[in-house]
Amino acid sequence: MAFIDEIKAKAKANKKTIVLPETEDVRTYKAAEAVLRDGTADLILVGSEEEIQKNGAGYDISGAVIVDPAKSEKTESYIAKLVELRSKKGMTEEQARELLLTNYLYYGVMMVKMGDADGMVSGACHSTADTLRPCLQILKTKPGTKLVSAFFVMVVPDCDLGADGTFIFGDCGLEQNPDSEKLANIALSSAESFKLLTGKEPVVAMLSHSTKGSAKHADVDKVVEATRIAKELAPELKLDGELQLDAAIIPEVGASKAPGSEVAGQANVLIFPDLDAGNIGYKLVQRLGKAEAYGPLTQGIAAPVNDLSRGCSAEDIEGVIAITAVQAQAQ
């Protein structure tokens, strides 16, 4: 069974409620129709009934719950809670009211915060910063997690590398230039995400332009130190570095360049040294390798809220909704 089909099956087995705040975008409705038809998740669409009927014309979304912030009986409690959460930043009731009535992303995150939804998917027509800002302000980080990071699930067709062609790439969407400690924590979170979503053992490669000292540079030193920290924090995890990409995923190259490594040639979780490398890497695999790319998905937030690429398709949104539901099951 393909990765996304397995995820959808998991989502159906314990259905969760996902809120979709981007009701101005037709892709939301196409994805919602498919999710409701397949029973992957229960859905909440945020907006007025008039807006949603107009923007979603032609799509069967009759199974979704429509919540209009201007009319919902819960809006006042959301306003009060937002003022409480942001009081140290000077948030007033008037500011909270305006924010929740005009910015549906904030309203969606408040629904998650108050337990009226299990997760949220956004980003088809908003930047990553716009999607994550309310999450960081309202939901905060997950207990035991030091930072929020982003990853992609990459599913490469006709590939026997990684986990039958499935990989996690991190961080490809959020942390610009993580230091060694952050890089180590990204690796641990990514391993946890891989285990949750695939059910398989993570094998983590800390990527570099160097393999085991083949090059000398401060950028290499950062990855070496990150590897040391990660191994100290999670000694049971299969994790190694620094490794070049080919040494990480190609068995014969790994055996040649890093003999004795239990990771080299076997990696299914690839940790990039910075956002430039990660972003370029995932798009190369997506466009040239014809891979399915799901993300940027977030890890480290106290509840599952996932971002989308603004170039995403309705099918991408459908897949991310299923992934978000499975993440919510683990909360």
Side-chain angles (χ1 to χ4, degrees):
M1 187 183 293
F3 165 78
I4 200 61
D5 293 329
E6 292 181 359
I7 289 292
K8 289 178 181 178
K10 288 180 183 178
K12 291 178 190 179
N14 181 10
K15 201 182 290 188
K16 296 298 179 181
T17 299
I18 307 301
V19 58
L20 305 177
E22 292 182 313
T23 47
E24 69 270 43
D25 194 299
V26 69
R27 291 170 293 178
T28 296
Y29 298 98
K30 186 176 180 180
E33 182 181 59
V35 168
L36 293 168
R37 180 188 65 236
D38 295 343
T40 309
D42 294 323
L43 297 180
I44 297 172
L45 302 177
V46 182
S48 71
E49 289 197 21
E50 296 77 17
E51 289 173 330
I52 289 172
Q53 287 175 359
K54 176 184 174 183
N55 296 334
Y59 294 99
D60 181 6
I61 53 166
S62 55
V65 174
I66 296 173
V67 174
D68 183 348
K71 296 180 180 179
S72 173
E73 62 184 18
K74 295 189 175 183
T75 297
E76 291 302 319
S77 65
Y78 292 176
I79 291 169
K81 186 64 174 179
L82 183 56
V83 171
E84 176 191 330
L85 292 169
R86 302 292 290 163
S87 60
K88 291 182 180 179
K89 297 295 183 179
M91 176 74 72
T92 66
E93 182 179 335
E94 292 74 17
Q95 290 171 331
R97 184 180 304 278
E98 181 176 357
L99 191 59
L100 291 177
L101 292 181
T102 60
N103 189 320
Y104 291 166
L105 274 65
Y106 270 88
Y107 198 91
V109 171
M110 282 304 304
M111 296 192 81
V112 176
K113 178 68 176 180
M114 300 293 277
D116 295 319
D118 299 304
M120 186 179 89
V121 173
S122 180
C125 48
H126 290 85
S127 69
T128 295
D130 286 339
T131 296
L132 293 183
R133 188 177 300 111
C135 303
L136 298 175
Q137 291 177 355
I138 295 167
L139 298 174
K140 312 292 187 182
T141 55
K142 185 169 68 173
T145 302
K146 290 192 174 182
L147 83 162
V148 174
S149 58
F151 68 94
F152 276 80
V153 177
M154 305 297 297
V155 183
V156 186
D158 303 317
C159 177
D160 58 1
L161 304 176
D164 297 320
T166 298
F167 296 85
I168 272 183
F169 287 14
D171 180 333
C172 303
L174 190 56
E175 275 291 331
Q176 184 71 47
N177 190 18
D179 60 21
S180 295
E181 185 175 2
K182 287 183 176 180
L183 202 58
N185 280 280
I186 290 168
L188 301 189
S189 292
S190 298
E192 184 180 340
S193 294
F194 183 88
K195 178 68 174 177
L196 171 66
L197 295 176
T198 70
K200 298 175 181 177
E201 182 181 18
V203 183
V204 185
M206 309 296 285
L207 298 181
S208 173
H209 68 274
S210 169
T211 296
K212 299 295 183 180
S214 65
K216 304 295 182 184
H217 192 275
D219 289 347
V220 177
D221 295 340
K222 179 178 83 167
V223 177
V224 171
E225 176 64 8
T227 302
R228 185 195 67 77
I229 294 170
K231 285 183 173 181
E232 190 174 275
L233 292 171
E236 75 290 348
L237 183 63
K238 286 187 178 180
L239 178 147
D240 202 7
E242 85 284 15
L243 295 170
Q244 291 164 296
L245 187 279
D246 57 353
I249 66 171
I250 307 297
E252 54 268 31
V253 179
S256 171
K257 291 187 174 184
S261 171
E262 64 177 353
V263 169
Q266 308 297 324
N268 49 38
V269 177
L270 305 181
I271 305 303
F272 292 83
D274 57 41
L275 189 58
D276 284 340
N279 189 271
I280 293 166
Y282 101 76
K283 288 184 177 177
L284 275 171
V285 175
Q286 180 187 28
R287 300 300 180 181
L288 299 185
K290 309 299 183 185
E292 299 169 34
Y294 298 99
L297 305 168
T298 56
Q299 50 194 8
I301 298 176
V305 175
N306 282 317
D307 192 17
L308 296 160
S309 167
R310 279 174 282 179
C312 68
S313 65
E315 290 74 21
D316 294 333
I317 299 174
E318 183 188 350
V320 172
I321 289 170
I323 290 170
T324 306
V326 171
Q327 290 177 317
Q329 292 172 356
Q331 288 297 111

